[in-house]
Each structure stands twice: as structure tokens, then as C-alpha cells.
Amino acid sequence: MRKQPHLDMIADIQDSIDNTHEQLKNIEERREKLITGTRKIVLLCGKSIVSMHRQKFGEGEKMIEEARKLLDEFRPVAQTDLQKYISDAEQEFVEASMLKSVCNGSSLPSRNSLNVSGPSYITGILDAIGEMKRLVYDRMRTSERDEVLRVFNLMQELYSAIYVLGVYDNLVPGLRRKLDISKMITEDIRAAITEDSRRETILKAMTVLQANLKEKMIE
């Protein structure tokens, strides 16, 4: 018995439909795996940042390395079609890695050494500027002036280096907003350092004045 023409037409495309079904199923499975896995990476990086602010550097570095291993594991899962699902994790990884280097005074890691995408690298650096602000305030409270100036100068240099990429905001979502925030943070720190310097100058002047008054009283 001969098949009807419309059934022949369906049979001709069924293989394509079945293949597409398998492809979509594979994409969905990889997507779910990435969502779960990258959530753990973000959490690890967040905890590492908290540890470093508490000066628990060994603990923070250990979590960064664990995040690195997970990223290496999930990159093949993302392939090229699901790269956007690891961008946030990469960004957090860059932020934590930058802060680690700032804290221990080592050279900042390059994009190649972190094995991340360009957009994740520059946005991660901008996020790290916010964490560096907290470092500055912590060092100001303990009167570590040299360290305050070192971190502040680094903040300015990083912002200036990335500022020229602001024209690519349409290619790197959120870049302009992060640049604006980084600029405000840097200016806030500049004002705080200036005020702290003025306060220190006044205190020194008062100390000298008190010493002079005591000497005159003794005379």
C-alpha cells in the first residue's frame, strides 16, 4: 500500500526534527548544569573576598583555587553557545583574584593567567575597585598611610586604563555603569584621604603648639 503524499513529506523532515530535539535537549541539560555549577563558583569567590578582608589570606586563596578548578571544569560544558552562563562566575573570579593580589602586594593577574573572557576580565577589575575601597578605609583606621596611598593609586590607574573601553558599552553589558560607579568610588576615596591628611596636619600642629606652650610655662 502506497503512503499518502503528505505522510511522505513528514517522513522526509522527521530526521531533522529528531536531530533538533536532541540538540535542544543537550543544550538544556548543559544549561542546567552551568546554572548550578556557576552558582557555587560565585559563592566561593564571595567567601574568599570576605576572608581576605578579614586577613585570612590562606583561606581566601584556597577558595579562589577551588573556583578556578570549577571554572576549568565548566568551560567545556559552556562551549561557544552558552558562554553567557559562565560570564558572571568569571567576573567574580577576576574580582577575587585581583583583590588577592592587591592584598599580598603581588603583580595583578593577566587575562591569560586567569583564562577568562575579555568582558569578564574588565568588569571583574571594575568590581575589584569597590573592594579596594574597603581596603583603603580599613588601612585608614589603622593609620597605614603608605598602604592607603598604594591602594588608592592602584584604583586610579585601573580606572584610567579601562576608561578608554567605555565606548564598547553596547558590546559589554553594564560596562558604562560599572565605570561610573568606579569613578564615584575613586572620588570618594580621594576626598576621604584629603580630609584625613588635613586632620593629621591639624593634629600635628596642635601637638607642636602644646609642646611650645609647655616649654614657655616651664620657663
Side-chain angles (χ1 to χ4, degrees):
M1 181 177 179
R2 185 178 178 182
K3 294 182 180 179
Q4 297 182 10
H6 70 278
L7 294 179
D8 289 338
M9 294 174 64
I10 292 295
D12 289 340
I13 67 169
Q14 190 61 53
D15 285 345
S16 297
I17 293 173
D18 291 342
N19 288 337
T20 301
H21 180 212
E22 288 301 315
Q23 290 173 357
L24 293 174
K25 181 180 178 182
N26 173 264
I27 292 172
E28 180 63 18
E29 289 174 350
R30 288 190 292 117
R31 175 180 170 277
E32 290 299 323
K33 186 174 181 179
L34 287 171
I35 290 173
T36 302
T38 55
R39 190 180 295 123
K40 183 176 181 180
I41 295 171
V42 170
L43 184 61
L44 278 169
C45 292
K47 287 183 176 180
S48 73
I49 288 173
V50 171
S51 294
M52 285 183 283
H53 279 303
R54 293 176 177 172
Q55 298 189 356
K56 297 180 179 179
F57 303 118
E59 182 180 289
E61 290 179 12
K62 182 178 179 181
M63 285 185 278
I64 288 175
E65 286 309 307
E66 188 175 345
R68 182 195 296 273
K69 291 177 182 178
L70 286 174
L71 271 173
D72 289 341
E73 176 185 335
F74 287 113
R75 284 193 184 95
V77 178
Q79 297 180 26
T80 56
D81 55 341
L82 296 178
Q83 281 294 312
K84 65 180 182 180
Y85 288 97
I86 64 170
S87 61
D88 285 348
E90 284 189 337
Q91 184 175 300
E92 294 289 331
F93 175 64
V94 171
E95 180 181 2
S97 298
M98 289 290 166
L99 182 63
K100 180 191 75 171
S101 295
V102 173
C103 286
N104 61 30
S106 61
S107 298
L108 299 181
S110 67
R111 174 191 165 191
N112 287 339
S113 68
L114 297 179
N115 191 24
V116 297
S117 69
S120 295
Y121 187 66
I122 59 175
T123 51
I125 290 176
L126 291 174
D127 285 343
I129 289 177
E131 296 301 330
M132 292 164 68
K133 173 184 177 180
R134 181 175 170 183
L135 277 183
V136 169
Y137 281 133
D138 287 343
R139 301 303 181 265
M140 287 177 71
R141 280 191 288 270
T142 53
S143 301
E144 299 176 59
R145 185 165 180 76
D146 289 343
E147 187 67 5
V148 165
L149 294 177
R150 180 186 76 86
V151 177
F152 173 61
N153 289 333
L154 186 55
M155 291 171 67
Q156 292 186 104
E157 290 174 10
L158 288 172
Y159 172 78
S160 297
I162 297 178
Y163 176 77
V164 296
L165 301 178
V167 294
Y168 300 112
D169 183 61
N170 59 324
L171 299 177
V172 184
L175 177 57
R176 174 54 61 183
R177 181 181 63 82
K178 288 181 181 293
L179 278 168
D180 290 343
I181 292 173
S182 295
K183 181 179 180 180
M184 288 189 291
I185 287 173
T186 305
E187 291 305 315
D188 285 347
I189 292 298
R190 186 192 307 280
I193 291 175
T194 301
E195 182 61 29
D196 189 62
S197 297
R198 288 174 180 168
R199 188 182 304 109
E200 186 176 345
T201 300
I202 292 172
L203 288 174
K204 286 181 178 179
M206 290 177 66
T207 301
V208 172
L209 180 60
Q210 288 175 347
N212 290 336
L213 288 173
K214 285 181 179 181
E215 287 180 2
K216 289 181 178 180
M217 290 175 68
I218 292 174
E219 292 175 356

